[in-house]
């Protein structure tokens, strides 16, 4: 039964069946909720109130957004897309580079 190795059966990269949670997504959720906890603890130490609940709910939506698949790379997550955009914001796009090639002159030779 275990004589052959079937490609694509890597147990270390296996995606969980429940909501596609991978360790990377769990780490992102843990970090966002850790930051949320520290913000609540420092901003609202005695009574959370309405604004504290708004902060908690907005960070829940933020965590859900950050673990969505990114549009340019479906195997990546949205937080990677955002970080990549921030890092490359100062660099010029490759589409702005003009080709330096010699142009042929159009001569009208009247059909010659």
């Amino acid at each position: 039964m275990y004589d052959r190795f079937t490609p694509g059966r890597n147990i270390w990269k296996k995606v969980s069946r429940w909501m596609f949670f991978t360790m990377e997504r769990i780490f992102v959720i843990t970090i966002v909720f850790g930051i949320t906890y520290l913000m609540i603890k420092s901003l609202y130490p005695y009574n959370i109130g309405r604004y504290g609940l708004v902060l908690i709910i907005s960070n829940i939506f933020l965590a859900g957004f950050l673990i969505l698949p990114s549009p340019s790379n479906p195997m990546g997550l949205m937080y990677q897309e955002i970080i990549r955009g921030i890092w490359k914001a100062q660099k010029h796009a490759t589409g702005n580079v003009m080709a330096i090639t010699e142009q042929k002159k159009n001569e009208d030779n009247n059909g010659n």
Side-chain angles (χ1 to χ4, degrees):
M1 179 174 175
Y2 296 106
D3 294 342
R4 292 184 311 168
F5 173 72
T6 309
R9 298 287 182 180
N10 188 352
I11 63 168
W12 301 111
K13 294 192 177 191
K14 183 178 178 185
V15 178
S16 173
R17 291 177 189 222
W18 191 71
M19 294 181 63
F20 297 103
F21 277 137
T22 58
M23 288 306 290
E24 186 178 17
R25 286 183 167 139
I26 292 172
F27 286 145
V28 169
I29 290 171
T30 304
I31 289 169
V32 170
F33 284 129
I35 291 171
T36 304
Y37 175 74
L38 292 176
M39 288 172 66
I40 291 293
K41 191 174 178 182
S42 65
L43 294 175
Y44 308 104
Y46 301 111
N47 187 10
I48 293 176
R50 270 186 257 155
Y51 296 115
L53 290 176
V54 169
L55 179 67
I56 291 170
I57 291 170
S58 65
N59 281 351
I60 288 171
F61 284 125
L62 175 67
F65 174 74
L66 292 176
I67 63 171
L68 289 174
S70 66
S72 64
N73 181 13
M75 297 304 290
L77 301 179
M78 276 304 293
Y79 85 92
Q80 295 168 341
E81 189 85 12
I82 293 168
I83 290 173
R84 191 178 308 120
I86 291 171
W87 283 343
K88 293 185 177 183
Q90 302 300 326
K91 295 183 180 179
H92 296 292
T94 57
N96 293 339
V97 178
M98 295 174 55
I100 304 175
T101 57
E102 201 153 321
Q103 300 289 327
K104 292 183 179 181
K105 293 183 180 180
N106 291 335
E107 297 178 7
D108 190 16
N109 293 336
N110 294 329
N112 289 340

